[in-house]
Amino acid sequence: MPFKQHPVFEQPENEDHVVWRYYDATKFISILQNRGLYFNRADNYADSFEGIFPKERLEREYENALFNKKTTEMLVLEGILPEGLDDRTPKEGMFEIIQRLRRRSYLNCWHMNNSESMAMWQAYLTAGDGVLVKSTYSKLKSAVDIHDQHTYRMGKVDYLPWLDEDVEEELDERERNNWFYPFMYKQEEYEYEKEVRVVVDKGPVDSKDELKSGFFVKTDLNELIDSVIVSPNAPPWSDLEFWKDILRKYKLRANVERSTLEITPDEIIENIDQEEVERRVKQRLDEWRKKQDYLD
């Protein structure tokens, strides 16, 4: 799956930047079992605007579809075109084209941030049972670049006011005229996701292939995954030892770590370097005594 540069896919300034993937327990174990990353078909996502143009563009595309429908009807009445060429409504015709693009596009999504995020834990692990995979942008890029059965494109998602007028003015002409852009720009309400995407375009596919919800791409998980962090809201049985056993079973060498969100104030004090603190306190006391004349 060779990497292919594309103007819609913005690359980070630092390709060694940390990226994260939040998995519930079942999905992560399926990744281990299949030894690869899962690419989900774009129309399977809960976001109804996934791969859909913004409001302004949708309205324009509908106007074009209605115009084409009316001109076709006029040509039929004039006997220039035969009847029954296209019985779809303008809305049906417009969304059928968009749906074809969504059904040929498969996505694998990550979160780019310096640290783990409570908001992301809550958004993606509602039951609390799961893990966070830590990697880097460059390792993710290398992980899928070893395959040649598909071409993939990868970059940072940008966020725009999707329902505003003139939103496309923020895009250059190459972006506006490229069908990839609805997959790499999202509503600004999702900006907290700070998303990185790998996109596979399978090209024109027959009806049987279109029914596939997704597919795994074989990946060297040991090269990709730096560490696995257990959910801070995990049930008692889904603890560090449980996940260490799972990783050993699937021969994954990554460290298993606690979430930093589990650390308590008491724990910080309990683990303090007492000798170092006492040394600094003694030094401060000596300096303090020198300033107190009545203690001489």
Side-chain angles (χ1 to χ4, degrees):
M1 187 184 294
F3 174 76
K4 189 172 183 179
Q5 293 282 0
H6 192 281
V8 174
F9 292 76
E10 179 186 356
Q11 301 303 303
E13 293 182 6
N14 176 17
E15 292 204 352
D16 289 326
H17 199 294
V18 175
V19 295
W20 313 82
R21 178 65 191 255
Y22 293 78
Y23 286 107
D24 66 35
T26 302
K27 288 183 179 178
F28 182 61
I29 290 174
S30 74
I31 295 299
L32 298 177
Q33 288 176 333
N34 288 278
R35 307 301 297 179
L37 297 176
Y38 186 73
F39 283 75
N40 194 24
R41 201 175 67 206
D43 63 333
N44 289 332
Y45 287 87
D47 179 9
S48 62
F49 271 94
E50 190 65 71
I52 302 290
F53 296 113
K55 174 178 176 289
E56 173 194 22
R57 177 70 171 270
L58 274 180
E59 292 173 345
R60 190 165 68 250
E61 293 295 336
Y62 176 78
E63 180 181 327
N64 292 337
L66 181 59
F67 174 80
N68 291 335
K69 181 72 172 178
K70 295 294 185 182
T71 55
T72 299
E73 290 174 350
M74 292 174 65
L75 292 172
V76 169
L77 288 174
E78 294 292 330
I80 298 173
L81 291 177
E83 294 184 7
L85 280 179
D86 189 352
D87 294 329
R88 299 172 301 176
T89 67
K91 177 182 174 182
E92 289 171 342
M94 178 189 72
F95 277 116
E96 183 176 317
I97 294 172
I98 293 173
Q99 187 68 352
R100 286 177 185 172
L101 297 177
R102 298 175 80 204
R103 290 171 71 88
R104 63 187 270 179
S105 303
Y106 293 78
L107 317 177
N108 184 265
C109 308
W110 292 67
H111 173 66
M112 178 175 279
N113 207 350
N114 292 323
S115 63
E116 56 180 300
S117 162
M118 177 56 82
M120 294 293 288
W121 278 118
Q122 294 172 340
Y124 288 90
L125 279 83
T126 54
D129 182 22
V131 298
L132 172 59
V133 169
K134 181 180 180 181
S135 185
T136 67
Y137 187 92
S138 59
K139 288 183 178 180
L140 176 61
K141 189 175 180 179
S142 297
V144 289
D145 199 22
I146 62 175
H147 300 277
D148 58 7
Q149 68 266 43
H150 303 293
T151 296
Y152 83 93
R153 297 167 177 88
M154 177 175 168
K156 296 165 52 183
V157 171
D158 203 354
Y159 302 88
L160 298 172
W162 222 233
L163 301 181
D164 287 4
E165 300 296 330
D166 303 322
V167 64
E168 288 194 333
E169 289 185 0
E170 299 187 36
L171 309 176
D172 64 35
E173 186 176 355
R174 290 182 305 170
E175 292 172 316
R176 287 195 300 270
N177 295 328
N178 193 280
W179 70 266
F180 273 122
Y181 102 72
F183 296 101
M184 296 308 294
Y185 288 87
K186 294 181 67 173
Q187 295 162 277
E188 60 186 0
E189 290 83 357
Y190 288 93
E191 194 165 3
Y192 72 94
E193 293 182 339
K194 299 179 181 177
E195 192 173 337
V196 164
R197 283 190 163 174
V198 188
V199 180
V200 171
D201 170 25
K202 293 197 72 174
V205 289
D206 60 37
S207 58
K208 181 179 179 180
D209 285 336
E210 284 188 330
L211 296 177
K212 293 179 181 178
S213 294
F215 57 89
F216 284 92
V217 172
K218 294 294 182 182
T219 307
D220 188 340
L221 297 179
N222 279 309
E223 291 295 325
L224 172 64
I225 298 175
D226 289 329
S227 59
V228 174
I229 299 167
V230 179
S231 167
N233 301 313
W237 59 266
S238 184
D239 59 8
L240 283 174
E241 292 307 314
F242 171 82
W243 286 106
K244 286 179 181 178
D245 287 342
I246 292 293
L247 265 59
R248 279 194 291 267
K249 176 181 177 181
Y250 290 102
K251 297 180 173 57
L252 187 64
R253 297 189 297 268
N255 292 329
V256 179
E257 302 172 2
R258 291 176 62 203
S259 167
T260 56
L261 295 167
E262 281 192 291
I263 298 173
T264 65
D266 283 347
E267 190 176 349
I268 291 174
I269 300 303
E270 288 173 3
N271 290 286
I272 202 167
D273 186 339
Q274 191 66 30
E275 289 186 5
E276 176 60 22
V277 171
E278 289 180 358
R279 184 191 66 78
R280 293 201 301 267
V281 168
K282 181 179 181 303
Q283 184 179 13
R284 291 175 62 189
L285 282 171
D286 290 342
E287 294 172 356
W288 177 79
R289 285 175 63 89
K290 292 176 182 178
K291 298 176 182 179
Q292 311 306 316
D293 295 339
Y294 63 88
L295 292 178
D296 292 337

